[in-house]
């Protein structure tokens, strides 16, 4: 019996154009054969690697090791990104989004074609396991019977659509709030499950419930999943569990993961497999996200470095580095939203052992001096630091748990480099740990925030010294 992966020798070759590729990669209407899955997977992976290799080679002259590229751990790429401008990490993040969509959508459809269920395709989201899943999907044959499971539904009445949408949103919100409380307030974890697993679960449950038992179209299903996410964020804001700033930072990642979940939920609801089997397998896979948090909790030390050139010799710059008066420049708009910003710096004593206090809008950093090399280098540890922000909220005071101890500044340093014509290059570095996952996403925000803090301090020192 001929399988869908084979082709009769007398069959006429089918021309495959750009439109077919777009349909294969970005829609849910085309069945994915082994051949198309293998060619698309390896071809796009090679294309993505070559582009990133060229960018990194051009910017910093480093070779981008393929092993580092394939590693599921962002920390393995941290050393490379640390030498590139801040925008590179953000650019790579957005550059990776269409590849993520293609990977998940094709894996889900390949899983349906091979097993009759979308569940195996979900496992490509699990770091480390994803390559094994892709290998299995490459070797599994397509089922003999025609699938026909991802076609658009017949028009349904508006009332049916509204009921389905409300049902899907309500179910996903109830489950998500319960898991949020369990994860944050009982387990005390801000990790992969909260920021990756939970948005995916919102998308899966809302889209699945919306399409079961009455099937609706794909675009409507994705819209319902996004609405569920925004309602959840609104609930967190109303119940003072989070503030506006953190929700805004979460949304780019949350919307992407919810879209992936919506894709999977829609595929699950439109397969011919009995829903009980899908639900049980889904319940078995999602705890693996939480297990990843328990088994792997790295806290690497990140460095953010900034610099400025000053028209004054190091001897004149040094006193303004050790301690500086109130910053008269008004804080930028993002600081006014609640992100902590520097106000002044004072010091008690001189030399190693002196205590420097860098006062921020949220409190003071306590910084015992560890290196006093006047007028070349000033280094210090950080033994106490205030919250990184005051959350923007309808309420007077909101203090979610992640403001205490998850972002930890460890030490800092100023380096004064003498330049010709009595000028100085002033470099500032901050080393910190961030125990929120995925760190590759959250450190995009923290690096940017620390860069803005550096710029505010360095420009103030420049003004005082000149």
């Amino acid at each position: 019996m001929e399988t869908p992966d084979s082709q009769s020798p007398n069959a006429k070759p089918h021309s495959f154009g750009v439109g077919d590729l777009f349909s294969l990669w970005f829609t849910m209407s085309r069945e994915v054969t082994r051949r198309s899955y293998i060619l698309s997977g390896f071809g796009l992976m090679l294309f993505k690697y070559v582009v990133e290799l060229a960018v990194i080679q051009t910017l910093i002259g480093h070779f981008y090791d393929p092993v580092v590229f394939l590693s599921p751990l962002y920390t393995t790429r941290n050393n490379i990104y640390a030498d590139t401008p801040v925008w590179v990490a953000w650019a790579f993040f957005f550059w990776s989004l269409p590849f993520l969509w293609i990977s998940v959508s094709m894996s889900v459809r390949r899983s349906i074609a091979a097993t009759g269920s979308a569940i195996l395709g979900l496992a490509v989201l699990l770091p480390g396991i994803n390559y094994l899943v892709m290998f299995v999907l490459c070797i599994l044959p397509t089922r003999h019977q025609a699938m026909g499971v991802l076609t658009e539904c017949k028009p349904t009445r508006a009332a049916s659509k509204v009921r389905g949408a409300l049902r899907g949103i309500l179910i996903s919100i109830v489950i998500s709030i319960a898991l949020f409380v369990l994860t944050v307030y009982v387990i005390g974890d801000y990790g992969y499950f909260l920021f990756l697993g939970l948005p995916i679960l919102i998308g899966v449950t809302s889209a699945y419930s919306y399409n079961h038992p009455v099937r609706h179209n794909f675009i409507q299903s994705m819209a319902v999943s996004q609405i569920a996410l925004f309602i959840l964020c609104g609930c967190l804001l109303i119940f003072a569990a989070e503030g506006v700033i953190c929700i805004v930072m979460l949304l780019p990642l949350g919307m992407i993961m919810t879209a992936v979940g919506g894709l999977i939920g829609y595929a699950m609801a439109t397969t011919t497999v009995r829903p009980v089997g899908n639900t049980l397998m889904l319940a078995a896979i999602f705890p693996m996200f939480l297990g990843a948090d328990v088994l792997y909790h790295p806290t690497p030390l990140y460095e953010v470095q900034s610099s400025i050139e000053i028209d004054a010799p190091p001897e004149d710059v040094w006193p303004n580095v050790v301690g500086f008066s109130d910053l008269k420049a008004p804080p930028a708009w993002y600081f006014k939203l609640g992100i902590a910003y520097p106000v002044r710096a004072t010091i008690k004593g001189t030399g190693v052992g002196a205590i420097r206090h860098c006062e921020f809008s949220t409190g003071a950093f306590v910084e015992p001096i560890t290196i006093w090399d006047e007028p070349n280098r000033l280094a210090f540890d950080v033994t106490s630091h205030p919250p990184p922000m005051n959350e923007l909220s309808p309420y007077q005071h909101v203090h979610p748990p992640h403001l205490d101890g998850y972002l930890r500044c460890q030490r800092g340093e100023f380096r004064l480099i003498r330049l010709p014509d009595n000028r100085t290059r002033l470099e500032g570095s901050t080393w910190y740990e961030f125990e929120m996952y995925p760190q590759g996403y959250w450190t995009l925000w923290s690096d940017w925030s620390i860069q803005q803090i550096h710029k505010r301090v360095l420009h103030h020192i420049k003004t005082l010294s000149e």
Side-chain angles (χ1 to χ4, degrees):
M1 186 176 188
E2 188 176 309
T3 70
D5 280 330
S6 62
Q7 186 177 1
S8 171
N10 298 323
K12 295 181 180 180
H14 171 65
S15 58
F16 203 81
V18 175
D20 295 304
L21 272 180
F22 182 88
S23 176
L24 176 65
W25 290 346
F26 295 103
T27 73
M28 295 292 290
S29 59
R30 293 184 69 102
E31 186 174 290
V32 178
T33 64
R34 278 188 298 183
R35 182 172 181 270
S36 60
Y37 188 76
I38 293 171
L39 291 178
S40 292
F42 284 99
L44 290 173
M45 186 180 297
L46 179 61
F47 172 69
K48 186 174 186 291
Y49 170 71
V50 170
V51 172
E52 293 182 11
L53 171 66
V55 171
I56 292 173
Q57 185 73 34
T58 301
L59 289 177
I60 60 176
H62 287 185
F63 174 71
Y64 195 17
D65 193 325
V67 176
V68 175
F69 171 78
L70 293 173
S71 173
L73 305 179
Y74 180 84
T75 50
T76 60
R77 296 186 288 277
N78 182 50
N79 292 334
I80 293 179
Y81 289 153
D83 295 330
T84 62
V86 176
W87 63 264
V88 173
W90 278 105
F92 277 9
F93 170 73
F94 288 107
W95 156 256
S96 299
L97 298 185
F99 294 94
L100 173 65
W101 176 270
I102 294 170
S103 172
V104 176
S105 69
M106 290 194 67
S107 295
V108 165
R109 283 174 285 147
R110 180 68 200 135
S111 175
I112 292 171
T115 69
S117 170
I119 283 295
L120 187 59
L122 173 63
V124 299
L125 294 166
L126 297 172
I129 299 177
N130 55 337
Y131 294 124
L132 176 61
V133 172
M134 292 176 185
F135 175 74
V136 171
L137 292 176
C138 285
I139 62 176
L140 286 177
T142 300
R143 294 165 66 92
H144 290 184
Q145 63 268 31
M147 298 300 299
V149 295
L150 295 178
T151 55
E152 296 293 341
C153 62
K154 295 180 180 180
T156 55
R157 292 185 300 175
S160 174
K161 294 181 180 180
V162 172
R163 286 196 300 269
L166 292 177
R167 181 178 63 249
I169 291 172
L170 179 62
I171 292 173
S172 65
I173 292 299
V174 170
I175 294 175
S176 301
I177 290 178
L179 290 175
F180 178 87
V181 172
L182 173 66
T183 305
V184 173
Y185 293 99
V186 178
I187 300 177
D189 180 72
Y190 282 88
Y192 295 103
F193 178 78
L194 185 65
F195 299 119
L196 297 181
L198 194 57
I200 292 173
L201 188 60
I202 291 172
V204 170
T205 53
S206 59
Y208 180 84
S209 300
Y210 177 60
N211 287 281
H212 185 78
V214 179
R215 190 177 306 176
H216 303 288
N217 70 48
F218 178 66
I219 299 299
Q220 292 171 353
S221 303
M222 299 300 288
V224 167
S225 65
Q226 294 297 326
I227 292 171
L229 174 66
F230 276 87
I231 292 178
L232 174 64
C233 291
C235 291
L236 297 180
L237 190 63
I238 291 173
F239 292 113
E242 284 294 346
V244 174
I245 299 176
C246 289
I247 289 176
V248 169
M249 290 192 293
L250 167 66
L251 277 178
L253 179 63
M255 292 176 67
I256 295 163
M257 293 297 104
T258 301
V260 170
L263 182 156
I264 296 168
Y266 173 80
M268 287 171 54
T270 53
T271 61
T272 56
V273 177
R274 295 178 64 183
V276 174
N278 272 333
T279 304
L280 292 177
M281 293 182 70
L282 185 67
I285 287 178
F286 266 98
M288 297 180 70
F289 280 102
L290 193 57
D293 291 339
V294 175
L295 295 176
Y296 186 73
H297 251 184
T299 52
L301 196 62
Y302 297 95
E303 179 188 2
V304 178
Q305 180 178 327
S306 307
S307 64
I308 196 171
E309 293 189 3
I310 302 174
D311 291 327
E315 291 79 9
D316 292 344
V317 178
W318 175 266
N320 300 316
V321 169
V322 173
F324 50 81
S325 59
D326 289 11
L327 282 79
K328 296 181 180 179
W333 64 268
Y334 39 82
F335 289 134
K336 293 180 180 179
L337 294 178
I339 298 176
Y341 60 89
V343 177
R344 69 185 66 86
T346 59
I347 191 167
K348 294 182 179 179
T350 58
V352 175
I355 304 297
R356 186 173 182 267
H357 291 82
C358 190
E359 297 182 34
F360 273 60
S361 56
T362 56
F365 285 81
V366 179
E367 304 168 346
I369 303 300
T370 56
I371 297 177
W372 184 286
D373 180 16
E374 184 177 355
N376 304 306
R377 186 182 176 199
L378 181 74
F380 48 86
D381 288 336
V382 177
T383 57
S384 178
H385 51 79
M389 67 179 69
N390 286 320
E391 274 288 10
L392 186 64
S393 170
Y395 305 100
Q396 185 175 3
H397 181 72
V398 172
H399 196 87
H402 63 76
L403 295 183
D404 297 321
Y406 285 86
L407 193 158
R408 302 183 292 270
C409 291
Q410 298 294 332
R411 57 191 175 93
E413 182 174 304
F414 289 99
R415 295 174 293 276
L416 292 78
I417 302 170
R418 192 182 301 274
L419 301 177
D421 300 325
N422 279 329
R423 301 173 69 248
T424 302
R425 176 182 173 86
L426 176 60
E427 297 179 346
S429 290
T430 297
W431 288 266
Y432 73 98
E433 295 176 339
F434 205 172
E435 202 169 355
M436 289 176 65
Y437 306 85
Q439 289 167 321
Y441 177 75
W442 289 111
T443 52
L444 293 175
W445 293 99
S446 57
D447 282 1
W448 177 84
S449 299
I450 294 173
Q451 284 277 8
Q452 305 316 306
I453 292 170
H454 283 183
K455 289 179 181 179
R456 180 171 167 82
V457 171
L458 295 182
H459 280 284
H460 183 62
I461 293 174
K462 174 182 173 70
T463 300
L464 294 175
S465 302
E466 293 180 350

